[in-house]
Amino acid sequence: MTAPQPKGWKRAFHRLSGGALLLALLVISTLAAVGLSASVLAGAARSNRDLAQTIETRILLLLERDGLSGLVAEISRVEGALVPGTGDVEFAVWRRVGPDNRLLRETRPGLATALADAVPGAVERRAIDGRSYDVFAPDIAVESQSWDLPMAEVFVSYAVGVPTLQTRSARRELLAVWAGYAFAVAVGVALHLDHRRRYRTGLDRINAVLDDFAAGNTSATVAIDTEAPELRRLSDHLSDVLPRFDQLLSDLRALTAHLAHELKTPLQTIRSDVRRLSVAGEVD
């Protein structure tokens, strides 16, 4: 009785080797890891943009509500972190007095010199004292036009240390993702290679028994010890079938010997009769 054959995608799935399936899983898992990494990095970049926007919004709010003195007091009060919990953020505040800009506050000595030429509305990556910063300068002249008291003479620059807390957190997440991915791949490859080894060893043992049987040693040992679970049932079947073949061959040999013995006398009689008829024909 023929076993039913799988149809559709099941047939294609059954035709795939273990190596092909492993490769497909590796491709899928790699794409998933890359997609997750891109999502984490995009989230960190979005958090960094939100951080800069939050600081700028708070600067403008303080200026409009409390004036320049309120902003300077707030910067001084929180020791350079206008928005608590944002990490390494530095500020410098100036006010134009006549033709010159008067420095009112800097959160670190020498910071004003590094931030003095920041372009309003732009973002720049700068190195300050050996540390990388993203430098921002809100365009207060434009933003304050609708205020009751415009502050076109006020200039504020702030620098956010990079990598930010969000970026460092994202990097830790990526490290965990790719470490887990590498571990899973290593385990998968190791299991696949071990499976192939056990499978090939089992097939070699089965083939050795069959080769020995085909060479005439019908009493070959058929107790096949295999580590591959898929081959154990085949090994059990061979253990049942090969002795049966040996018995059938023994029975066939016995039958052949019996027929040869039973036909020996009739054949001799026929041969004698043919010889006599031949002699009689020659006499005639």
Side-chain angles (χ1 to χ4, degrees):
M1 181 177 179
T2 304
Q5 297 295 320
K7 298 181 180 180
W9 65 270
K10 291 184 178 180
R11 179 181 300 176
F13 183 80
H14 285 199
R15 289 179 178 176
L16 291 176
S17 65
L21 289 174
L22 178 61
L23 179 61
L25 290 175
L26 286 178
V27 171
I28 293 173
S29 59
T30 300
L31 292 177
V34 170
L36 180 59
S37 299
S39 176
V40 170
L41 291 175
R46 185 167 55 252
S47 296
N48 290 337
R49 290 193 298 269
D50 292 344
L51 169 63
Q53 185 60 46
T54 299
I55 295 175
E56 180 170 331
T57 299
R58 187 159 175 78
I59 288 173
L60 296 175
L61 178 64
L62 285 170
L63 280 174
E64 183 180 12
R65 187 188 63 189
D66 301 331
L68 182 57
S69 60
L71 173 64
V72 172
E74 181 70 10
I75 291 175
S76 302
R77 185 178 67 83
V78 297
E79 296 299 332
L82 190 63
V83 181
T86 56
D88 186 7
V89 182
E90 305 290 348
F91 294 88
V93 182
W94 300 266
R95 182 175 184 177
R96 179 172 298 170
V97 179
D100 301 321
N101 290 332
R102 179 185 173 188
L103 177 63
L104 300 180
R105 182 74 172 90
E106 60 179 346
T107 54
R108 196 169 67 186
L111 182 68
T113 303
L115 301 183
D117 59 345
V119 179
V123 182
E124 301 176 69
R125 177 67 57 85
R126 296 185 180 184
I128 302 175
D129 294 336
R131 172 78 188 279
S132 293
Y133 288 84
D134 283 338
V135 176
F136 302 82
D139 196 343
I140 297 175
V142 173
E143 297 291 341
S144 67
Q145 288 180 356
S146 59
W147 298 354
D148 295 337
L149 183 62
M151 297 186 179
E153 76 285 0
V154 175
F155 300 93
V156 178
S157 293
Y158 63 95
V160 179
V162 291
T164 62
L165 294 177
Q166 292 82 356
T167 301
R168 288 196 290 270
S169 176
R171 289 178 178 176
R172 287 192 295 269
E173 291 180 15
L174 290 180
L175 180 61
V177 168
W178 285 101
Y181 170 78
F183 177 76
V185 168
V187 171
V189 171
L191 290 176
H192 175 68
L193 293 177
D194 182 65
H195 176 77
R196 288 187 62 184
R197 178 192 62 78
R198 291 185 287 113
Y199 195 82
R200 288 181 176 179
T201 301
L203 284 179
D204 289 341
R205 292 175 180 173
I206 291 174
N207 287 329
V209 171
L210 294 178
D211 289 341
D212 195 20
F213 191 90
N217 183 16
T218 57
S219 61
T221 302
V222 294
I224 303 170
D225 181 19
T226 173
E227 299 177 4
E230 299 87 347
L231 299 178
R232 287 174 186 166
R233 189 174 182 184
L234 175 60
S235 174
D236 293 340
H237 284 174
L238 287 175
S239 299
D240 296 334
V241 170
L242 291 184
R244 179 60 177 163
F245 271 116
D246 186 31
Q247 182 63 42
L248 291 175
L249 288 173
S250 298
D251 293 344
L252 181 60
R253 293 190 190 101
L255 176 61
T256 303
H258 179 72
L259 289 175
H261 176 73
E262 293 297 329
L263 292 175
K264 183 177 182 180
T265 300
L267 288 174
Q268 288 177 348
T269 302
I270 292 172
R271 180 184 298 174
S272 298
D273 292 342
V274 170
R275 185 177 299 140
R276 283 197 302 271
L277 290 173
S278 177
V279 170
E282 291 176 357
V283 172
D284 295 340

